[in-house]
Amino acid sequence: MATLLIFFVLMNLDLLLRTGHCTETRDQILSITPKTQEQVDILKNVSTQYETALWQPVSPHYIKEETQVHLFVPANSSETVKELLQRHAVAHEVLLANANELIEMQTRNDSTDPRSSATFYERYHSLEDIYYWINRTAHDNPSTVKVILVGSSYEKRPLYALKLSFNDRPNKKAMWTDCGIHAREWISPAFCLWFVHYSLSFYKQNQDITDILDNMDVYVLPVMNPDGYKYTWTSNRMWRKNRSISKTTSCIGADLNRNFDANWCTEGASHNPCTEIYCGAFPESEPESQAVADFLRRHKDTVQLYLSIHSYSQMLLFPYSCSLEEAENHSDLLEMAEEAAQKIRRYYRNIYRYGAGAKTIYLAPGGSDDWAYNLGIKYSFTFELQDRGRYGFLLPPSHISGACNEALIAVKTIALKVIEKT
Ligand code: ARG
Ligand code: ZN
């Protein structure tokens, strides 16, 4: 009996020590809901002055009372930050106590794994692997898949899109999907790979995807921001922007989703290159956004549906984000998003919010969806995939299939509606 008791005491002591150890030395995600203006100011201060990465909201500017803030705090500033919060009686909750472990889980791979092929789409892949996969996919499907060089990045990496085309019908329509505008949103490129793989595997097996591919060419750009994506694999997992160098400061990168010509750099974006929502020097100043804009301008007569894939927060958004104005076909867009969200809820028991961007989240000018819409692509959506903050940008690989399948159902629902309406 006594030994048993000692055993339990030791067990708990060990647990205590281990968890204590973890909280001191690991990168963490904190969830904080400021209750007063003073606490709001402290949080703004913490997220700008310290080496942290704001996960939610996207910029300190949006921190407000009674709204949850998700903050990535690297191990080396963890003590200072927590002390500061405690000193000002700002309550915080540890959302993730060991982000390092999750990061390790996300990069554990890969081509070296002999069983890799079966679970290829349920893992995250480095930029090199994605480039390899793009070429391989086109090579293995010569009659249906082509690689298109859409442009190149600031650091001169290629921007490859895949074109899936199953027939040469006259006046055939098309849809465009880009992934990975924001570097740290890894589930997004994973979705593009999933979508292509699903299309190639289930054509003539699944009615919906067959109808879509019979009626539309499908363009997929898996990594729109390769420089940033590469950087999240090698240097900073929390990087969002591209990697362009600005003339005026040492701060690097522009937010590609603030760089399009749609009420460019008005409220919701920033001229300051040191912020996460820096709009760039002028509209399409960044080679990545310019390349996509050029491609869509050249193909605007065929492309009927524009999709941009982000994470996280589980939302189906449509124009406008750059103003509070209502899109001319608002009720159509709303109906499509609603049906897609309903299907996700029915089949996957997951909740997606939906609506016009500015009214559903915040004003965010210069986005690709609004720009594409104004170009004349009347069905334009931004998806925010899983999750709602439990893991945030560090969604474990085991969640990839669930996240992609539910997003796929939304894509199918919307694409079929577009075919029906046009
Ligand atoms: N979280 C995305 C962003 O901040 C939302 C995109 C919605 N659309 C838009 N045009 N802002 O970029
Ligand atoms: Zn994003």
Side-chain angles (χ1 to χ4, degrees):
M1 187 65 203
T3 40
L4 209 65
L5 203 71
I6 288 168
F7 177 72
F8 275 119
V9 168
L10 282 176
M11 276 267 292
N12 286 327
L13 197 66
D14 180 52
L15 206 70
L16 246 156
L17 286 172
R18 271 195 295 150
T19 45
H21 177 76
C22 276
T23 50
E24 304 310 356
T25 60
R26 294 308 173 155
D27 298 348
Q28 305 196 336
I29 321 299
L30 304 183
S31 172
I32 309 151
T33 307
K35 301 284 177 202
T36 62
Q37 189 52 44
E38 195 209 342
Q39 296 193 341
V40 168
D41 294 338
I42 289 159
L43 270 179
K44 286 187 179 181
N45 183 44
V46 168
S47 63
T48 45
Q49 305 299 313
Y50 294 85
E51 198 201 310
T52 59
L54 196 57
W55 276 21
Q56 182 191 289
V58 65
S59 149
H61 176 79
Y62 300 107
I63 298 177
K64 56 173 195 257
E65 293 168 46
E66 301 298 342
T67 350
Q68 247 185 49
V69 172
H70 296 163
L71 188 68
F72 174 86
V73 184
N76 57 349
S77 29
S78 157
E79 217 163 311
T80 333
V81 166
K82 284 191 178 169
E83 213 175 79
L84 209 131
L85 293 177
Q86 253 141 40
R87 182 142 33 92
H88 293 89
V90 184
H92 70 265
E93 184 192 326
V94 178
L95 219 52
L96 289 175
N98 187 348
N100 311 76
E101 187 179 68
L102 282 162
I103 292 175
E104 206 273 318
M105 204 148 78
Q106 285 193 318
T107 48
R108 198 181 304 153
N109 242 353
D110 195 11
S111 357
T112 52
D113 182 349
R115 295 155 303 173
S116 68
S117 61
T119 56
F120 182 88
Y121 297 95
E122 294 176 31
R123 281 177 291 120
Y124 296 108
H125 295 280
S126 64
L127 186 64
E128 290 69 27
D129 283 2
I130 294 177
Y131 279 140
Y132 178 82
W133 172 87
I134 289 171
N135 281 311
R136 181 74 197 258
T137 302
H139 184 263
D140 292 348
N141 301 276
S143 61
T144 49
V145 181
K146 300 245 165 332
V147 179
I148 300 174
L149 181 64
V150 171
S152 63
S153 69
Y154 184 83
E155 292 172 349
K156 303 293 179 235
R157 293 190 177 84
L159 300 173
Y160 290 129
L162 290 173
K163 180 185 183 183
L164 278 53
S165 184
F166 281 75
N167 63 56
D168 295 320
R169 284 192 194 179
N171 302 320
K172 203 176 170 198
K173 303 303 184 208
M175 63 176 277
W176 165 276
T177 304
D178 55 62
C179 293
I181 284 193
H182 291 138
R184 63 194 176 187
E185 301 165 4
W186 283 13
I187 187 63
S188 168
F191 174 77
C192 266
L193 270 57
W194 188 279
F195 179 40
V196 169
H197 175 69
Y198 180 87
S199 299
L200 297 174
S201 310
F202 288 92
Y203 182 67
K204 297 283 184 208
Q205 308 286 324
N206 171 278
Q207 188 64 49
D208 289 348
I209 202 69
T210 307
D211 287 348
I212 291 164
L213 293 165
D214 280 342
N215 288 287
M216 279 180 164
D217 289 336
V218 174
Y219 296 102
V220 178
L221 171 60
V223 188
M224 179 163 159
N225 175 11
D227 302 346
Y229 189 69
K230 168 102 197 168
Y231 195 69
T232 59
W233 275 77
T234 55
S235 306
N236 178 357
R237 179 63 186 81
M238 297 310 147
W239 194 257
R240 165 181 167 96
K241 302 184 282 181
N242 76 346
R243 294 291 301 165
S244 69
I245 288 163
S246 82
K247 291 206 174 70
T248 46
T249 64
S250 60
C251 292
I252 288 176
D255 183 346
L256 298 178
N257 214 29
R258 299 291 181 281
N259 191 234
F260 285 81
D261 200 359
N263 290 354
W264 179 78
C265 226
T266 51
E267 191 193 332
S270 169
H271 285 287
N272 177 357
C274 299
T275 62
E276 295 283 26
I277 51 173
Y278 172 47
C279 56
F282 50 88
E284 294 178 32
S285 58
E286 306 308 299
E288 297 85 355
S289 33
Q290 200 202 349
V292 171
D294 277 341
F295 182 89
L296 291 172
R297 273 188 286 262
R298 285 198 305 273
H299 294 84
K300 67 175 172 147
D301 295 336
T302 49
V303 177
Q304 306 268 12
L305 168 60
Y306 173 87
L307 286 177
S308 192
I309 309 295
H310 292 246
S311 76
Y312 60 93
S313 65
Q314 298 181 193
M315 289 192 275
L316 310 177
L317 304 170
F318 51 80
Y320 284 105
S321 289
C322 66
S323 89
L324 292 164
E325 234 176 277
E326 207 159 80
E328 162 265 315
N329 59 343
H330 177 88
S331 57
D332 264 9
L333 295 167
L334 184 69
E335 179 192 302
M336 292 158 100
E338 179 176 30
E339 191 177 323
Q342 272 170 359
K343 286 212 177 138
I344 294 176
R345 199 171 60 217
R346 179 142 22 100
Y347 295 117
Y348 294 94
R349 308 202 167 283
N350 232 350
I351 302 294
Y352 275 62
R353 290 169 57 208
Y354 53 89
K359 289 187 176 152
T360 310
I361 18 173
Y362 41 59
L363 271 168
S368 60
D369 50 1
D370 286 349
W371 176 83
Y373 182 82
N374 286 339
L375 181 71
I377 303 176
K378 288 300 166 200
Y379 301 99
S380 178
F381 295 84
T382 293
F383 286 8
E384 297 274 1
L385 307 192
Q386 281 187 22
D387 55 13
R388 290 204 295 186
R390 166 95 175 79
Y391 296 105
F393 302 118
L394 300 177
L395 194 72
S398 56
H399 294 229
I400 293 176
S401 71
C404 290
N405 277 326
E406 69 191 20
L408 186 67
I409 235 185
V411 172
K412 290 204 280 189
T413 307
I414 288 172
L416 287 170
K417 282 250 165 196
V418 170
I419 291 168
E420 198 181 290
K421 282 173 196 279
T422 55

